[in-house]
């Protein structure tokens, strides 16, 4: 900014930042950054609305630009679903649901596990592929009752997925589910 260079910042997962001792520690630090940049870019209309409501930023400094293009993950290494599933040790006849990304409280995995219980009562071939690292040790994925009871329908890769491997997970899957939840105060 001091050199006259225009700057922009992507606003991502605004309402999900951690709250410690009843206060959002990010808000104070981020407000300073928001005041310094020229343009703020939320990725959805909902995030834009929340952002404008919860910050001191004026609307003319904010422009919604939808989430973006994921072509960067298309490496061409995986031509077929069968090839990707073989590498992930998934049977070809499985119906695969993918939950991908950092595993954190706001991602809604507990709701997906409850829905999975209902879905497998109608389709025993369903496999839920959970791929992404646990955000914090406090994430109690393995202690969740539904998680323990649904073991035969779960394939868990709870670690960082390198960019070179991201395509494999998506090609191996029939559907991607993102049951995000927001705790708006």
């Amino acid at each position: 900014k001091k050199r006259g260079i225009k700057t922009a910042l992507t606003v991502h997962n605004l309402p999900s930042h951690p709250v410690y001792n009843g206060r959002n520690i990010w808000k104070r630090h981020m407000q300073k950054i928001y005041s310094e940049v020229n343009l703020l870019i939320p990725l959805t209309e909902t995030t834009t609305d929340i952002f404008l409501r919860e910050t001191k930023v004026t609307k003319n400094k904010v422009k919604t630009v939808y989430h973006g293009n994921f072509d960067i993950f298309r490496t061409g290494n995986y031509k077929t679903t069968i090839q990707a599933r073989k590498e992930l040790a998934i049977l070809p006849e499985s119906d695969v649901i993918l939950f991908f990304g950092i595993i954190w409280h706001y991602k809604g995995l507990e709701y997906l596990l409850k829905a999975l219980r209902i879905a497998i009562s109608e389709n025993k071939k369903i496999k839920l592929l959970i791929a992404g690292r646990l955000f914090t040790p406090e994430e109690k994925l393995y202690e969740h009752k539904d998680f323990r009871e649904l073991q035969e329908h779960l394939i868990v890769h709870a670690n960082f997925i390198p960019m070179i491997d991201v395509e494999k997970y998506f090609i191996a899957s029939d559907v991607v589910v993102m049951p995000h939840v927001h705790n708006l105060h």
Side-chain angles (χ1 to χ4, degrees), residues 15 42 85 93-94 184:
R85 287 184 182 186
E93 64 273 7
S94 299
L184 303 176

Side-chain angles (χ1 to χ4, degrees), residues 123-136:
N123 180 352
K124 302 291 185 210
K125 297 187 315 178
I126 291 177
K127 298 290 184 190
L128 174 58
L129 175 56
I130 301 170
R133 73 176 172 86
L134 296 170
F135 188 75
T136 65

Side-chain angles (χ1 to χ4, degrees), residues 95-143:
D95 293 323
V96 181
I97 299 168
L98 176 61
F99 177 92
F100 189 89
I102 294 173
I103 302 167
W104 202 10
H105 69 278
Y106 75 90
K107 295 286 184 118
L109 182 58
E110 68 273 18
Y111 301 106
L112 179 54
L113 290 172
K114 289 181 186 309
L116 179 64
R117 178 181 300 284
I118 296 165
I120 61 174
S121 70
E122 296 182 25
N123 180 352
K124 302 291 185 210
K125 297 187 315 178
I126 291 177
K127 298 290 184 190
L128 174 58
L129 175 56
I130 301 170
R133 73 176 172 86
L134 296 170
F135 188 75
T136 65
E138 293 83 39
E139 297 300 327
K140 303 200 182 329
L141 171 67
Y142 300 107
E143 297 174 18

Side-chain angles (χ1 to χ4, degrees), residues 42-101:
L43 304 177
T44 68
E45 290 295 336
T46 302
T47 304
T48 298
D49 293 343
I50 294 166
F51 182 73
L52 289 170
R53 189 172 59 242
E54 292 189 0
T55 67
K56 299 172 185 171
V57 174
T58 60
K59 190 172 185 168
N60 65 343
K61 194 173 179 177
V62 178
K63 169 122 177 75
T64 305
V65 177
Y66 297 99
H67 206 285
N69 187 326
F70 294 99
D71 286 345
I72 189 173
F73 298 114
R74 293 190 179 138
T75 63
N77 293 337
Y78 301 94
K79 304 291 185 208
T80 68
T81 300
I82 292 171
Q83 176 191 8
R85 287 184 182 186
K86 184 176 183 181
E87 284 194 28
L88 293 169
I90 301 171
L91 294 174
E93 64 273 7
S94 299
D95 293 323
V96 181
I97 299 168
L98 176 61
F99 177 92
F100 189 89

